[in-house]
Amino acid sequence: MSHIFTGVGVALTTPFTNEDVDYEAFENHIEFLIENGVKSIIINGTTAENPTLTAEERNALLECGIKKVNGRVPVIAGTGTNNTQASIEASIKAKELGADAIMLITPYYNKTSQRGLIAHFTKIANEVALPVVLYNVPSRTNMTIEIDTVLKLSENPYIVALKDATGDLEYAKTLKSKLPSDFALYSGNDDNMYDYYRLGGDGLISVVANAIPFETQQLYDYVSNDQLEQATALNAEIVTLLNHLSVDVNPVPIKLLTSELGFGQYEVRLPLVTLEEKERTILSEAFNTFKDGVKQ
């Protein structure tokens, strides 16, 4: 089985205007991303402010996004929760709407054991029968998918990829050496994309690509083509921008940039709050500097 995608997938933001989902901006953003070369669209993930979307909004966003993408790149639906049955129901709905794959986060808050993780992911995968991207993000869930657990889960024919947001390159290297070649490893950390590509990762599920899709995909292409001098230079520009984006929790900073690109107003839903004016000015200037730099 080939990978769902290789290169850069985008963990899509959800644009709001006057506190409502702005579907026109959402569609325009998708078109911008595809025109700039991204290889997959991920809808209803953490960056989409999934916890504050209603079930109706999540389904409407997915339906709207799948229609807009129209088969040009794979659409992955974020359907994982800390409730196995609720995850199954959301995943089946995503399948009915036409999603190409689902992404399942490790259960948070109530958490579980590694044995529980295997049972949780296996039950969802078998009942939904769609390709599954596991999502390991211990900084948000306070638990990790251990290497032996990933290896065990990779034996399931539907579990075909991992979004690795551990930030631990040794973890990735070990997985790369032990997993079959048809199991995809995607970094979930923008700040290690260069190193992750170099160790043989299959791509990135990115936040910053919401604003700079062309450059993040170009970096992947540079590394894949062994153009390391160009890759190193571009990575330095991206890392500088990422340093400014770390001013607050995701997706608060990136939504300032997407709003400046015209995709909705600068709004987030509580408990998130927008950046203060001084922070906005600094980030906007950093974004403009980045854009001027990559034009040269």
Side-chain angles (χ1 to χ4, degrees):
M1 181 177 179
S2 60
H3 297 158
I4 301 169
F5 72 95
T6 56
V8 174
V10 181
L12 198 59
T13 56
T14 301
F16 300 123
T17 296
N18 300 325
E19 301 185 4
D20 290 325
V21 174
D22 186 335
Y23 291 97
E24 182 178 359
F26 182 71
E27 290 184 316
N28 291 339
H29 192 191
I30 288 173
E31 192 62 33
F32 165 76
L33 296 172
I34 293 176
E35 286 179 353
N36 281 280
V38 303
K39 305 304 181 187
S40 181
I41 299 289
I42 294 84
I43 297 174
N44 293 335
T46 309
T47 303
E49 298 175 74
N50 182 324
T52 58
L53 297 171
T54 66
E56 291 75 17
E57 287 173 331
R58 288 194 291 271
N59 289 335
L61 283 162
L62 192 55
E63 185 172 17
C64 176
I66 289 169
K67 184 177 179 182
K68 184 64 181 178
V69 170
N70 194 26
R72 289 177 287 175
V73 297
V75 173
I76 301 172
T79 56
T81 72
N82 58 350
N83 178 325
T84 306
Q85 187 57 38
S87 301
I88 290 170
E89 291 169 7
S91 300
I92 288 173
K93 183 64 179 178
K95 184 178 182 180
E96 290 172 354
L97 292 172
D100 297 288
I102 54 175
M103 188 167 69
L104 302 176
I105 195 169
T106 50
Y108 40 85
Y109 189 63
N110 49 353
K111 304 199 299 181
T112 185
S113 62
Q114 295 298 307
R115 198 160 54 86
L117 284 181
I118 292 171
H120 170 79
F121 289 129
T122 300
K123 184 173 179 63
I124 299 170
N126 288 345
E127 293 209 17
V128 179
L130 266 184
V132 171
V133 181
L134 303 174
Y135 181 17
N136 191 13
V137 56
S139 63
R140 288 187 182 268
T141 63
N142 201 28
M143 74 172 305
T144 192
I145 311 175
E146 294 177 0
I147 287 171
D148 286 345
T149 303
V150 178
L151 297 179
K152 179 64 179 176
L153 288 166
S154 72
E155 296 172 4
N156 185 296
Y158 297 114
I159 299 175
V160 297
L162 172 71
K163 178 183 177 183
D164 171 11
T166 64
D168 181 354
L169 292 177
E170 290 302 317
Y171 175 85
K173 287 177 184 174
T174 303
L175 285 174
K176 184 68 183 175
S177 69
K178 293 187 175 184
L179 284 164
S181 60
D182 60 353
F183 190 97
L185 289 175
Y186 304 120
S187 173
N189 291 78
D190 284 329
D191 60 359
N192 72 7
M193 68 175 88
Y194 175 75
D195 292 323
Y196 211 89
Y197 296 160
R198 290 208 65 187
L199 66 83
D202 301 290
L204 170 74
I205 295 180
S206 174
V207 172
V208 73
N210 277 283
I212 56 167
F214 177 81
E215 291 81 4
T216 49
Q217 178 60 41
Q218 186 176 48
L219 179 56
Y220 178 82
D221 292 337
Y222 279 152
V223 175
S224 297
N225 296 326
D226 209 25
Q227 297 173 269
L228 297 185
E229 184 176 344
Q230 294 95 326
T232 300
L234 178 56
N235 185 57
E237 301 264 13
I238 293 174
V239 168
T240 299
L241 179 60
L242 291 174
N243 288 338
H244 288 283
L245 280 165
S246 65
V247 65
D248 206 331
V249 296
N250 179 49
V252 172
I254 192 66
K255 290 195 78 173
L256 175 67
L257 305 191
T258 54
S259 69
E260 291 187 350
L261 289 168
F263 307 124
Q265 295 182 2
Y266 183 39
E267 296 182 20
V268 291
R269 283 183 174 171
L270 289 170
L272 301 181
V273 292
T274 55
L275 296 176
E276 295 182 349
E277 197 59 43
K278 182 179 179 182
E279 295 169 325
R280 295 186 197 189
T281 300
I282 293 172
L283 180 54
S284 293
E285 289 176 354
F287 188 37
N288 289 330
T289 300
F290 174 84
K291 289 189 290 187
D292 291 342
V294 295
K295 284 180 183 175
Q296 296 175 1

